[in-house]
Amino acid sequence: MKDKRIKKIIIVGGGTAGYMAAAALTKVLSADNCQVKLIESEQIGTVGVGEATIPQIQLYNKLIGLDENDFVRKTKATFKLAIQFCDWDKLGGSYYHAFGDVGKDMEGVQFYHYWLKMRKLGKAAGIDDYTLSSMACEKRKFMRSMDAGNSPLSNIAYAFHFDAGLYALYLRELSEKAGLQRVEGKVVDTELSDTGFIQSVTLDSGEVHEADFFIDCSGFRGLLIEEAMKTGYDDWSEWLPCNSAVTVPCENAGDPIPYTRSTAKKAGWQWRIPLQHRIGNGYVYCNKFTTDEEAKQTLLDGLDGKPLAEPRVIRFTTGKRKQFWNKNVLALGLAAGFMEPLESTSIHLVQAALSKLFTFFPTLSFDQVDIDEYNRQTVFEWERIRDFLVLHYHATERDDSEFWKHCQTMPIPPELSHKIEQFKRNGRVARTDNEMFNDLSWFEVMYGQGIIPDSYHALVDNFPEDELERRMQGIQKVMANSVDYMPSHQTFIDKNCKA
Ligand code: FAD
């Protein structure tokens, strides 16, 4: 029987996406069976941003077998328990989208439904008082889960903030040890077969590199998926209007906070990402509502420390490729598309794509049924994340600038309208299990953005009110005691993973 195995893979691009792919592929495929090669051009460089993650990254870290303390040390990382959204619902407003549990579910009904009832009756504190991660953020505390029975300390969900450049270097080291061949050079040409499959890429040196399967990690331009394959792009600017970011790192200002801060501004929003050695900052904006110069000034005015470089403007179009996998080319990272960094989902989407690639790993036949299914699942994942991001912009009381007036009144995807309508009625979230953001995330952001449901889950009224009040006070106390027990974020880093 003819050997139909994929024996040569070329990854084009050595940014976060390229090296995430390289580390995963070299870990899973033995070098004897399949050669993995990565081509990158230092002259072109990487986008160099992308420093905040979500807890799912721990699955990827496990897959490639990295030692978490070593990784935190080498990428000068800090821990992330939440995103704090300031001025999003209204000027002066603030809420956390926190990782992990909220309160304690009772009788099979999520805690937040009980809280909605008691809050309406004026018998409950703010939701943060029942949420371990939010309370820990307020007190700048952090620790990993410990074996503590029913205590909230036994289930702490966290992610990382890291230096994107150091992260790529870290993964490069791991991949090269596992057999990755790295080639320095600029791809200047691609050769396609009669059937439109890529056969080889040519470098500026004249070298030709052939492979069975190509992974396009070349960034926004999509060197293979777009320039060679002409796959096409779905533009989502009508829903996600920001198209620019200006970025600048600055000096640290005190101990790092264990969360990303996102502050809404006149024409977009500003991120603040604490690392061990600096703070990463950026202003994501729509250039129809402000100028690059004004955006730079807004960013610089909003820094907590001295800038460490000149501000850099990055332009993008929110959206995705019409196909993420086309023939023998798979696009990852910015080459696949970009939805903007509001909920730190891009790195997650690379890891989710890699996991799906392993599920649908091709043979030389490149079965179209598998490719179609890969694309179908990926489109679903992207669209539901898109809706979650659109929610932040659309559900706001802010009308103090043309940008926010536009966001309030813009049409939104029908699935999102449906989710908002259902939540408004009874706090339920109309989602399916395979969507990335869970009910709690939707609740935190809907409520945080000022959508207050008329009612709550029907079964809540079966619970005696005085007993509920007593239980909620108990939960609040347990949360406070647990956070008191946690060390400060800085102490945890110093003790376990100081750079
Ligand atoms: P790039 O970093 O652009 O890398 C492209 C690579 O391709 C480079 O190595 C380049 O040299 C190479 N290349 C290009 N052309 C050629 C050629 N002709 N020949 C050879 N090599 C070539 N994601 C998150 O998860 N969290 C965040 O907080 C976050 N923040 C972001 C903020 C902004 C403003 C932006 C724009 C993105 C952000 N992202 C974030 C997304 C994140 O940056 C990307 O997902 C991630 O960095 C992956 O980038 P990449 O590897 O796809 O592309």
Side-chain angles (χ1 to χ4, degrees), residues 140-143 483-492:
R140 301 181 175 209
K141 300 248 185 144
F142 178 77
M143 65 183 261
V483 173
D484 279 348
Y485 180 83
M486 294 167 80
S488 79
H489 183 212
Q490 184 67 62
T491 305
F492 186 89

Side-chain angles (χ1 to χ4, degrees), residues 322-335:
K322 287 192 185 296
Q323 296 174 72
F324 297 99
W325 183 345
N326 188 357
K327 297 193 162 89
N328 65 339
V329 176
L330 179 84
L332 290 184
L334 299 172

Side-chain angles (χ1 to χ4, degrees), residues 69 72-73 76-79 142 255-258 274-276 487-499:
N69 285 343
V72 170
R73 192 175 303 120
K76 299 203 184 326
T78 64
F79 294 90
F142 178 77
D255 292 350
I257 51 176
L275 303 179
Q276 289 184 39
S488 79
H489 183 212
Q490 184 67 62
T491 305
F492 186 89
I493 294 172
D494 288 345
K495 198 165 160 207
N496 298 287
C497 26
K498 188 68 187 154

Side-chain angles (χ1 to χ4, degrees), residues 371-426:
I371 295 177
D372 289 346
E373 184 56 22
Y374 175 96
N375 283 325
R376 191 190 68 77
Q377 291 185 16
T378 310
V379 168
F380 176 84
E381 186 173 35
W382 277 63
E383 287 184 348
R384 295 296 77 79
I385 291 176
R386 175 201 66 197
D387 293 354
F388 189 60
L389 302 184
V390 175
L391 170 69
H392 298 63
Y393 285 101
H394 183 66
T396 178
E397 284 176 24
R398 283 192 66 162
D399 57 4
D400 53 292
S401 71
E402 289 310 308
F403 174 78
W404 289 107
K405 281 185 202 155
H406 167 80
C407 292
Q408 256 192 24
T409 53
M410 68 185 175
I412 58 171
E415 291 87 350
L416 176 59
S417 297
H418 176 60
K419 275 197 171 81
I420 292 176
E421 278 319 304
Q422 179 155 30
F423 185 79
K424 272 185 186 162
R425 296 270 181 93
N426 50 37

